[in-house]
Amino acid sequence: MANNYKRFIQNQFEKAKSTASEFISSRSEEQEEGTIELNPQYYVELKAIADMQHTTVQAIVNGIIVQYLASAPYESTPISVDQKEDNPLLYLVGICKLED
């Protein structure tokens, strides 16, 4: 009887560990979706600038992203006839755009 109880407790403990492990790994995956990696050299340079400006690297990067998004063209560059002749699949891009 004590053996069965011990096995039951061990099984419950293993289930709890497994559930906790899955929970922790899913949370780290969620955090990774919203994070980006910077080149370490760029980070050091940005950190130096941030320290001089009494701000954070995140604030600088967010500002750079805002500037980029404001200036980035929303339409893709047109595909030339030569490109389409070299790669006939590019004609499909034009056909798909007509349907949108």
Side-chain angles (χ1 to χ4, degrees), residues 14-99:
E14 290 301 320
K15 286 180 185 177
K17 275 184 14 181
S18 175
T19 302
S21 177
E22 289 175 16
F23 177 73
I24 290 169
S25 68
S26 69
R27 289 197 66 198
S28 66
E29 287 173 7
E30 289 174 11
Q31 291 174 346
E32 287 178 8
E33 285 182 22
T35 59
I36 59 170
E37 270 189 51
L38 292 177
N39 179 315
Q41 182 179 349
Y42 295 151
Y43 178 81
V44 170
E45 292 175 24
L46 287 172
K47 178 71 172 141
I49 294 169
D51 289 343
M52 285 190 300
Q53 295 179 353
H54 304 290
T55 188
T56 64
V57 172
Q58 181 176 354
I60 292 173
V61 171
N62 285 343
I64 292 168
I65 292 171
V66 166
Q67 288 177 358
Y68 176 79
L69 292 176
S71 66
Y74 285 100
E75 293 185 23
S76 61
T77 57
I79 301 169
S80 71
V81 174
D82 291 335
Q83 289 173 314
K84 290 178 184 176
E85 287 175 356
D86 290 341
N87 185 354
L89 291 176
L90 293 175
Y91 279 108
L92 293 175
V93 174
I95 293 169
C96 291
K97 286 184 181 178
L98 291 176
E99 291 179 4

